[in-house]
Amino acid sequence: MGLRKYLEILKIFIKTQLAWRGDSVIQILFSLTKILFASLLWGTIFAGRDEVAGFTLSSMMSYYIISSFLTQLDMSSKVSMEISQRIRNGTFSKYMVLPVNIQGYFVAMEMGMVLFHLIIYFITSVIWIFVFRIKFVFTPDPAIVAGIGILILLGLFFMAQLNYYLGLLTLKYEEIGLFLMIKDNLVAFVTGSIIPLTLLPEHFLWIMKAFPFYYVTYLPSMLLIGRLKGELGMGLLALSCWCVVLQAVIHVTWQNYRIKYDGVGI
Amino acid sequence: MEIIKTAGLTKNFKRFKKQAGMIGSIKGLIRREYEEKQAIGNLDLTIQEGEFVGLIGPNGAGKTTLVKMLTGIIAPTCGSVSVLGYYPNDLEHEFKQQYAVVMGQKSQLFFELTVEDTLRLFKEIYGLPEEEYESSRDYFVKLFQVQDLMHVQVRTLSLGERMKMELIAALLHNPKIIFLDEPTIGLDAVASKQIRGFLAEINERRGTTIILTSHYMEDIKALCKRSIVINHGCKIYDGDTEKLFERFQKFKKITFTFSEPTLLPNLEFDARILEQTPYKKVIMVPKENAAGLLRELMNLLPTDITVEEEEIGTIVERIYQEGGDGLA
């Protein structure tokens, strides 16, 4: 019974996405420009070379398509924006008066948006791979694929937690633009969605492994193109630990800061 | 049965105080000054199950702050509060399951979707069985006469239609208490009257306790047997709505119509002429002198007489200005 309400929230947000047909078409077309840009960039870098840092052009393009796909799937920045905006304008009470776990509401909201975009981006990625005749490199091991699936889900959950936490900080700091900017820049670089982290110095990679972002996009992308297989177990464990720690931080933050909410403007 | 009880309930807000201008902004960056404002002070209140209570007060009086504390949205600074036996700010699901709050300027509906979609969501959130959901939904859809609007996007509804839908969404789970904050704000006279009718029916038929905050005194007068007047965070009146208006109703407006041109004699009784034509005289008189004036002017053989109460806005203004003097 308890889960049904979150399933309904998830469904509501899929329906909300479906209401905007124009948005969906633009998103499909926009993904084309990203692939075109990546083809040009990596085509130039690979000109006259078979390999760069152990990557062939095909494996690099496969990495780029997968990591872009995973990065686009993460809709969690909407969670922090929504919470922050509503706390600032006094309408966060909309969630406080409902008999639901507020974090659960936002996680379900993100899952609804992710599911919708998963279908859209999956279809478009397959179309572009076919159109551009990219030799797609993909791990054949179903057990690894299943493990990666769990890692991706954990990563999405962690990002939802992080953004929920940052949103809650509005209760104390009122303005969290700076926190969000730091997070966005860190995530864009550290998740490896711009360039594979293996192109960076070895010691930098070790530092990154201590942080959760390494496991959110970079590791699943590398695993999906058949690399770093030995790191799957470690990734699952590390990300699970980060989720548990962040959940405890969220609990303490909510208990301490919710009494600061004054709901101004209503 | 007591459903709401507060004792010494107080809420203070801390707010940032900044001098105007660029220098003020820079100073504020280096050294912040805060001031404390009391929104609600030492408020004692008891509301019985099934009551329809009006919360009246000028802007910034503390009405909405009180509603926010009663629903658990904000925590009191001190004092005690119990709603349905719960401390609201604990935000327990069992508590939230038993009340609803409708704020006229805020929406619980999803604008891109239909009302039916939102109601389905609320069905799951409140854990309503299918049969109960359908019977409750059908009851309200019929009551509010919105059968044709259930499958259109919320954003295409008029303000009046949207408010009806907000009420349906709030009432769907048959709450024991409903808090209404300005439910008729921005609505035209017809829609306001309809909403008032629905609320009266819900209070009478379902026994729902209703706490209504409104600047429209027509709402309060038509619906609330009991009124609580709040000003500067303090309760200045708590009692019968009729008596409240009776007490601050100081004048009567009397209109005399004549079949022939008529001149008025010198008026006594502290009467004041508001409008005068050969055939019509409109006179304002203290209510205790109205009978005397009527007796005197009956000698002029008017063909029609209308006795009206003062405009409600004038009475309310008087309540806020004088209300603190020995009313509470």
Side-chain angles (χ1 to χ4, degrees):
Chain A
M1 197 67 176
L3 273 179
R4 284 182 60 177
K5 61 175 86 170
Y6 300 101
L7 189 65
E8 195 60 37
I9 294 166
L10 183 151
K11 277 161 62 183
I12 270 273
F13 280 95
I14 293 179
K15 288 189 237 175
T16 307
Q17 306 294 312
L18 285 167
W20 306 112
R21 290 177 299 177
D23 261 19
S24 310
V25 173
I26 288 166
Q27 279 168 10
I28 291 169
L29 292 174
F30 190 67
S31 66
L32 168 70
T33 60
K34 286 185 116 181
I35 293 184
L36 272 174
F37 170 74
S39 299
L40 284 171
L41 175 73
W42 292 110
T44 310
I45 293 171
F46 276 87
R49 294 193 239 182
D50 289 335
E51 275 194 11
V52 172
F55 280 82
T56 61
L57 180 60
S58 301
S59 60
M60 185 59 80
M61 283 301 293
S62 304
Y63 171 82
Y64 184 80
I65 289 170
I66 293 170
S67 66
S68 307
F69 176 76
L70 293 179
T71 308
Q72 282 173 319
L73 269 193
D74 173 29
M75 306 274 149
S76 56
S77 56
K78 289 190 179 172
V79 171
S80 49
M81 294 299 287
E82 166 80 0
I83 296 174
S84 177
Q85 200 182 342
R86 285 199 174 269
I87 290 174
R88 281 167 63 90
N89 67 21
T91 55
F92 190 65
S93 48
K94 167 181 172 155
Y95 303 106
M96 294 175 85
V97 297
L98 293 175
V100 287
N101 176 296
I102 301 175
Q103 189 188 355
Y105 186 102
F106 281 103
V107 170
M109 173 183 115
E110 198 201 339
M111 280 173 72
M113 292 192 292
V114 165
L115 269 174
F116 172 78
H117 287 93
L118 177 76
I119 297 162
I120 296 271
Y121 293 140
F122 184 76
I123 294 168
T124 49
S125 294
V126 169
I127 291 170
W128 299 140
I129 288 166
F130 181 73
V131 170
F132 288 95
R133 294 178 183 176
I134 296 165
K135 279 188 194 167
F136 198 67
V137 180
F138 195 79
T139 183
D141 188 343
I144 294 277
V145 173
I148 297 166
I150 297 169
L151 191 64
I152 290 170
L153 281 177
L154 273 175
L156 289 171
F157 180 64
F158 172 79
M159 290 307 291
Q161 280 182 308
L162 180 66
N163 278 283
Y164 180 73
Y165 169 70
L166 291 173
L168 290 185
L169 292 183
T170 315
L171 291 166
K172 180 166 173 62
Y173 299 105
E174 293 177 18
E175 168 57 51
I176 57 157
L178 183 68
F179 297 127
L180 295 180
M181 190 188 75
I182 294 169
K183 183 258 313 177
D184 287 340
N185 287 324
L186 201 68
V187 167
F189 186 66
V190 179
T191 51
S193 60
I194 298 172
I195 50 167
L197 297 179
T198 44
L199 300 180
L200 300 171
E202 181 82 3
H203 62 273
F204 183 83
L205 212 58
W206 277 105
I207 296 168
M208 288 301 102
K209 282 182 187 177
F211 293 99
F213 306 108
Y214 176 89
Y215 310 99
V216 172
T217 308
Y218 177 68
L219 186 59
S221 304
M222 291 295 274
L223 287 165
L224 281 170
I225 61 167
R227 292 168 182 242
L228 306 177
K229 281 179 194 167
E231 290 190 22
L232 176 59
M234 183 60 197
L236 287 168
L237 183 68
L239 206 46
S240 304
C241 291
W242 273 106
C243 288
V244 171
V245 169
L246 194 50
Q247 194 56 44
V249 173
I250 286 169
H251 180 75
V252 173
T253 305
W254 173 243
Q255 290 304 328
N256 285 306
Y257 290 173
R258 78 180 165 85
I259 52 169
K260 291 179 188 290
Y261 180 66
D262 53 15
V264 286
I266 54 168
Chain B
M1 183 191 145
E2 280 176 5
I3 204 162
I4 294 173
K5 190 170 173 60
T6 75
L9 190 66
T10 301
K11 179 68 189 178
N12 297 333
F13 287 115
K14 201 170 87 169
R15 60 185 180 189
F16 172 43
K17 204 175 156 191
K18 184 186 93 64
Q19 289 171 20
M22 182 62 80
I23 291 173
S25 299
I26 295 166
K27 275 185 186 170
L29 201 64
I30 299 160
R31 191 166 167 272
R32 296 233 150 179
E33 273 180 47
Y34 291 92
E35 66 172 12
E36 202 157 269
K37 183 180 181 278
Q38 189 173 73
I40 290 285
N42 209 24
L43 188 101
D44 297 334
L45 178 68
T46 306
I47 291 174
Q48 304 293 327
E49 192 171 6
E51 274 194 283
F52 203 140
V53 181
L55 278 180
I56 315 172
N59 284 336
K63 309 179 299 288
T64 307
T65 301
L66 177 61
V67 169
K68 284 190 265 184
M69 281 195 281
L70 296 177
T71 50
I73 293 169
I74 59 172
T77 306
C78 61
S80 70
V81 53
S82 167
V83 180
L84 293 156
Y86 294 89
Y87 176 68
N89 196 241
D90 283 343
L91 297 175
E92 289 177 64
H93 287 354
E94 293 78 12
F95 167 58
K96 293 192 271 184
Q97 194 86 25
Q98 297 180 59
Y99 76 82
V101 56
V102 176
M103 296 194 171
Q105 297 176 70
K106 303 286 168 286
S107 180
Q108 281 287 7
L109 305 170
F110 286 79
F111 278 40
E112 302 87 350
L113 305 179
T114 66
V115 178
E116 180 71 36
D117 284 323
T118 306
L119 294 187
R120 281 265 153 208
L121 172 68
F122 275 56
K123 168 195 175 283
E124 296 302 339
I125 283 180
Y126 287 97
L128 301 178
E130 187 66 29
E131 253 180 49
E132 192 184 325
Y133 164 72
E134 281 178 12
S135 106
S136 196
R137 181 200 57 193
D138 294 346
Y139 169 79
F140 288 116
V141 166
K142 200 175 160 197
L143 177 69
F144 287 63
Q145 295 175 339
V146 289
Q147 291 88 338
D148 300 337
L149 303 173
M150 296 303 285
H151 298 286
V152 296
Q153 268 189 320
V154 171
R155 67 188 176 86
T156 62
L157 300 176
S158 71
L159 191 62
E161 289 167 344
R162 189 170 67 71
M163 185 44 68
K164 288 179 192 171
M165 298 308 186
E166 295 283 355
L167 283 169
I168 295 178
L171 294 164
L172 195 68
H173 63 286
N174 198 15
K176 287 184 180 160
I177 309 177
I178 175 159
F179 297 92
L180 299 161
D181 194 9
E182 305 284 358
T184 55
I185 197 163
L187 300 187
D188 61 33
V190 178
S192 298
K193 200 178 168 192
Q194 276 183 333
I195 300 276
R196 283 199 289 268
F198 304 142
L199 294 175
E201 176 159 343
I202 289 152
N203 175 249
E204 279 164 28
R205 290 237 182 132
R206 299 202 158 199
T208 310
T209 308
I210 302 182
I211 318 293
L212 170 70
T213 302
S214 182
H215 279 298
Y216 298 121
M217 290 305 133
E218 287 85 354
D219 291 351
I220 303 286
K221 234 185 149 186
L223 294 168
C224 310
K225 199 167 179 310
R226 175 182 168 196
S227 285
I228 296 166
V229 184
I230 296 176
N231 204 359
H232 303 299
C234 297
K235 187 170 76 173
I236 56 173
Y237 178 83
D238 184 352
D240 191 276
T241 304
E242 281 297 320
K243 280 185 187 160
L244 174 72
F245 282 91
E246 179 66 21
R247 167 159 187 165
F248 286 91
Q249 171 86 52
K250 295 195 173 172
F251 296 91
K252 297 274 183 188
K253 193 165 88 175
I254 309 176
T255 306
F256 297 90
T257 312
F258 302 95
S259 57
E260 289 178 8
T262 306
L263 277 175
L264 284 176
N266 278 339
L267 293 178
E268 292 174 6
F269 308 105
D270 292 330
R272 188 158 53 92
I273 300 168
L274 297 179
E275 190 187 330
Q276 184 167 203
T277 66
Y279 296 96
K280 186 182 170 190
K281 322 287 174 192
V282 183
I283 301 166
M284 183 77 91
V285 63
K287 65 176 182 185
E288 61 276 14
N289 296 343
L293 182 79
L294 273 169
R295 262 197 307 274
E296 185 178 316
L297 295 192
M298 284 302 280
N299 299 328
L300 300 175
L301 303 173
T303 51
D304 191 23
I305 301 168
T306 314
V307 182
E308 291 172 88
E309 294 187 329
E310 276 181 291
E311 280 190 5
I312 215 154
T314 314
I315 301 171
V316 170
E317 211 172 295
R318 203 171 291 139
I319 292 171
Y320 295 159
Q321 279 170 0
E322 304 172 21
D325 304 332
L327 266 176

